[in-house]
Amino acid sequence: MYKNNGVVLVLSGPSGAGKSSLIKEIADDIGEYYFSISTTTRKPRDGEVDGVDYYFVSEEEFKKDIKDEYFLEYALVHGNYYGTSIKPVKEALSKGKLVIFDIDVQGNTAITNRLGDITTSVFITPPTLSELRKRLQNRSTDTKEVIERRLVMAKMEIQRISEYDFIVVNDDLKVAAEVLKQIAKTARLKVPINKINDFVHKWEDKE
Ligand code: ADP
Ligand code: 5GP
């Protein structure tokens, strides 16, 4: 019953919460997984690689992909478009993989509506807003103006924290990684509704 069905792990949280750092930290300890690489119209930050961190495209290309129904979900976040492609996600799920998304609160709503029975959602946050500000400043990848915009967004996002299955407070990175590792392992045990129905059918010894 527990084997071979694909499952989804949604990670959300303010930009600068430590989602990428935590994924890196647990990557070698959670078994085989597929990290969904989103498509975005945001410009790459220093060190970001096209096809690794994101697929970086123009707004025109993004809008064409929307029209071609290429996305499982997409959203406008901080003035840029971000979207999750359907095809690689479908493929990974059909191979029974753990599929990890780093998406915002709008994306979580869309994924939960479409794939709720196989989805575990986690909201990741630094302990306080002022700590978030510090980390965004230390990361030195965004201008002052962009950081202020991200902090305003963060205050809005935190209001929707109760929509998530789990909350991970990323204070000490190692401790937070340990918690997230346990959640990822548990996420693998989610059973889709069709499998549950099959199980009940067999359990009742029906043909
Ligand atoms: P996100 O992917 O959520 O935008 P990052 O992983 O890029 O966030 O982290 C934002 C910044 O905070 C990075 O500079 C990272 O090194 C730092 N960081 C992440 N976790 C911690 C932590 N627990 N303590 C201190 N700094 C952290
Ligand atoms: P960043 O610009 O910091 O990489 O990401 C900004 C925000 O966009 C983050 O909250 C991140 O989770 C979200 N995001 C990244 N990719 C996607 C996506 O494909 N869909 C949605 N809905 N949000 C995304």
Side-chain angles (χ1 to χ4, degrees):
M1 173 157 180
Y2 296 111
K3 275 199 177 142
N4 289 335
N5 63 266
V7 291
V8 170
L9 181 65
V10 170
L11 306 181
S12 299
S15 183
K19 300 179 294 294
S20 318
S21 309
L22 283 166
I23 294 169
K24 274 190 203 129
E25 196 69 27
I26 67 169
D28 292 337
D29 301 319
I30 54 169
E32 209 186 345
Y33 71 92
Y34 168 74
F35 178 74
S36 167
I37 303 168
S38 297
T39 301
T40 184
T41 58
R42 166 167 79 63
K43 297 279 168 281
R45 295 187 187 121
D46 274 354
E48 281 185 331
V49 178
D50 187 37
V52 176
D53 300 286
Y54 282 106
Y55 296 107
F56 296 99
V57 299
S58 66
E59 196 162 319
E60 199 182 3
E61 285 172 279
F62 197 98
K63 287 190 172 157
K64 184 175 181 306
D65 285 348
I66 296 175
K67 222 170 129 200
D68 292 344
E69 299 185 353
Y70 181 76
F71 295 122
L72 183 58
E73 63 77 37
Y74 69 90
L76 191 60
V77 189
H78 318 130
N80 294 304
Y81 283 102
Y82 294 82
T84 307
S85 331
I86 296 176
K87 208 174 147 205
V89 170
K90 254 186 160 174
E91 253 172 50
L93 287 176
S94 72
K95 288 180 185 155
K97 288 192 184 167
L98 170 72
V99 179
I100 302 180
F101 295 108
D102 172 348
I103 55 177
D104 81 328
V105 287
Q106 305 169 73
N108 179 50
T109 306
I111 295 295
T112 303
N113 285 340
R114 290 185 77 163
L115 301 168
D117 62 338
I118 54 166
T119 297
T120 300
S121 60
V122 186
F123 194 93
I124 297 173
T125 176
T128 59
L129 186 63
S130 47
E131 179 61 26
L132 176 62
R133 179 188 293 277
K134 248 191 249 164
R135 289 189 194 170
L136 285 173
Q137 285 165 348
N138 289 343
R139 186 167 71 180
S140 315
T141 51
D142 301 305
T143 60
K144 231 174 157 187
E145 194 193 358
V146 169
I147 290 178
E148 288 312 316
R149 212 178 326 143
R150 288 182 188 275
L151 290 171
V152 170
M153 278 297 295
K155 280 198 238 178
M156 282 156 67
E157 283 168 330
I158 200 93
Q159 303 305 322
R160 294 181 61 179
I161 200 165
S162 62
E163 294 173 25
Y164 288 78
D165 297 321
F166 296 100
I167 298 166
V168 172
V169 179
N170 178 20
D171 192 351
D172 179 299
L173 186 72
K174 298 274 177 213
V175 174
E178 197 50 48
V179 174
L180 189 58
K181 208 190 298 174
Q182 298 307 326
I183 296 170
K185 286 182 179 172
T186 310
R188 283 199 189 269
L189 301 177
K190 270 227 155 175
V191 182
I193 190 73
N194 60 336
K195 271 203 165 184
I196 296 175
N197 291 341
D198 286 352
F199 175 78
V200 171
H201 200 76
K202 282 191 189 125
W203 186 87
E204 289 174 338
D205 296 323
K206 287 182 190 160
E207 283 307 304

